[in-house]
Amino acid sequence: MSLTTISRNKCFGGIQSVYRHDSTETGCPMRFGVYLPPAAEQGPVPVLFWLSGLTCTEENFIVKAGAQRIAAELGVAIVTPDTSPRGLNLPGDADSYDFGVGAGFYVDATEVPWSTSYRMYAYLVQELFQIVTTELPLDAARAGIFGHSMGGHGALTIGLKHPDKFRTISAFAPIVSSTRCPWGEKALTGYLGADRSTWADYDATLLVAKLGWKGPSILIDQGGDDTFLASQLRPELLVAACAEAGVALNLRMQPGYDHSYFFIATFIEAHLRHHAAHL
Amino acid sequence: MSLTTISRNKCFGGIQSVYRHDSTETGCPMRFGVYLPPAAEQGPVPVLFWLSGLTCTEENFIVKAGAQRIAAELGVAIVTPDTSPRGLNLPGDADSYDFGVGAGFYVDATEVPWSTSYRMYAYLVQELFQIVTTELPLDAARAGIFGHSMGGHGALTIGLKHPDKFRTISAFAPIVSSTRCPWGEKALTGYLGADRSTWADYDATLLVAKLGWKGPSILIDQGGDDTFLASQLRPELLVAACAEAGVALNLRMQPGYDHSYFFIATFIEAHLRHHAAHL
């Protein structure tokens, strides 16, 4: 087994683990969490990939979302990757919270010096997916993807491009159009360069228009009091794109909720049930 | 209102807040969390005081236990104090994880220099109880107390001494006999001095023998794979004391579980329902 166990805790009858492995895509050790429900003792179980937001590691979702209770009941596993390479000390990689470390944006960078290691797209879709479905009791044919904020952007873009791998998609407060918000513009300029024509492959609204989505409706929860709603998230752009493309979207505005894990914890159960019902 | 709001997040229809106030007992600003369920909008609700373990602040329980979901359903509030004074920079107060900052042990110190500020017992029982039940929609006549490890010790000792204030008691992996374990002996020596005769008032097993308990059965969950089980926690001492005193104790050994918040999150629902059923 190529995985080193960092921690292992019994939780709701299953096991919450954190592993480390040497990634060929990022060229550094990467951590990720896996929750295996009790049902995994009997055989492979469906698996959800959770992509976290800016500044997060694999740990935030594990300790804050309260997802293990429902995952145990439904018999689904949850894989929680980190949000970027770490420990490389590339010039400027720790200068801001929204670029570099903790802010991989789920793209494969083409600009120097990021292009050799900031490959979170390939890391997730190819390398990590392969490793966890090979080395752990997970059913590769029953996978879904979801995430929060930057990770919602990741879940939408990766899911839309790989309906063969990810049969269900949901998101909390996602960046729906990375080419049309400050966070996305900064990240895509840095990782992909100033030529915007190369950005389209990482914009969920453009991917919906280009590729469509034949899977179950995409579930999105969005807090009405989210500080970033109008400036960065702009869910109305995805509503319009889905309507135009005939894609089923269930956007639920949640009055009074903000961008925090208190919001995620409140609605995580609905997301897990949505995925499980279709996997 | 003497409380300064540090944060406020909607969560499961209620509000998770963190407040700061200037404490007369500890002589420094203290933080604490309060979760108010939706029912608190209609009037005062029952309140549970959660006492945390070594190294914790008010935050650990708030983000890791997943308690708000059940508190919202049951209509109970949860107050989460800090575990010691902070910012005083007393000599040696940050030298170890199990004494000083983050390790107040829920006692009123008598030894210099701790005696003027390490007064977590009086802070909780008198000052904080009074403040929260006066300034927030909490019903002072329907309060319970629970906690983890050092906080389990705090919940047991405070609850047993104040059945008038706290009608229900429960604990996760508590230190049941502070006078008979390394953590307790270190703390009580430091805060109360070497004369062990002064320690008895802070030992749950001795308090059970001295005071008894006429309230609902005391619920305790204890992980079977808890690293500290045999050396620090020793639940069998409380089992014996309760049997001798005729006190109803429901000790549930949970195979495979450790000392972490993953263990707490797994069984927190049973504790909240136990308290709510009797408040």
Side-chain angles (χ1 to χ4, degrees), chain B residues 158-182:
Chain B
I158 290 174
L160 290 166
K161 287 194 275 191
H162 298 279
D164 50 325
K165 272 192 165 148
F166 302 102
R167 292 165 52 182
T168 50
I169 304 174
S170 78
F172 291 80
I175 297 168
V176 306
S177 181
S178 59
T179 67
R180 289 180 281 178
C181 70

Side-chain angles (χ1 to χ4, degrees), chain B residues 141-222:
Chain B
R142 290 184 292 163
I145 193 164
F146 62 158
H148 174 229
S149 195
M150 174 183 76
H153 146 78
L156 289 166
T157 54
I158 290 174
L160 290 166
K161 287 194 275 191
H162 298 279
D164 50 325
K165 272 192 165 148
F166 302 102
R167 292 165 52 182
T168 50
I169 304 174
S170 78
F172 291 80
I175 297 168
V176 306
S177 181
S178 59
T179 67
R180 289 180 281 178
C181 70
W183 278 339
E185 290 174 283
K186 176 176 178 177
L188 297 179
T189 301
Y191 294 132
L192 303 179
D195 178 2
R196 287 180 172 245
S197 68
T198 66
W199 297 5
D201 207 34
Y202 297 110
D203 181 309
T205 62
L206 302 178
L207 290 169
V208 160
K210 179 181 173 187
L211 303 172
W213 170 257
K214 305 292 188 200
S217 68
I218 297 170
L219 172 63
I220 293 182
D221 276 308
Q222 171 63 57

Side-chain angles (χ1 to χ4, degrees), chain A residues 176-254:
Chain A
V176 305
S177 182
S178 59
T179 66
R180 289 180 281 179
C181 71
W183 279 338
E185 291 174 282
K186 176 176 179 177
L188 297 179
T189 301
Y191 294 132
L192 303 180
D195 177 4
R196 287 180 173 245
S197 69
T198 67
W199 297 5
D201 207 35
Y202 297 110
D203 181 310
T205 62
L206 302 178
L207 289 169
V208 160
K210 179 182 172 187
L211 303 172
W213 170 256
K214 304 294 187 198
S217 69
I218 297 170
L219 173 62
I220 294 182
D221 276 309
Q222 171 62 58
D225 283 3
D226 187 322
T227 313
F228 306 110
L229 177 54
S231 59
Q232 305 277 10
L233 307 175
R234 307 181 66 187
E236 69 282 2
L237 297 176
L238 188 62
V239 170
C242 286
E244 178 74 19
V247 167
L249 171 68
N250 182 12
L251 169 66
R252 312 192 307 179
M253 292 300 297
Q254 305 290 1

Side-chain angles (χ1 to χ4, degrees), chain A residues 9-10 12-13 255 257-258 266, chain B residues 9-10 12-13 63 255 257-258 266:
Chain A
N9 301 89
K10 190 167 180 180
F12 288 97
Y257 287 89
D258 59 28
T266 301
Chain B
N9 301 90
K10 189 168 180 181
F12 287 97
V63 300
Y257 287 89
D258 58 28
T266 301

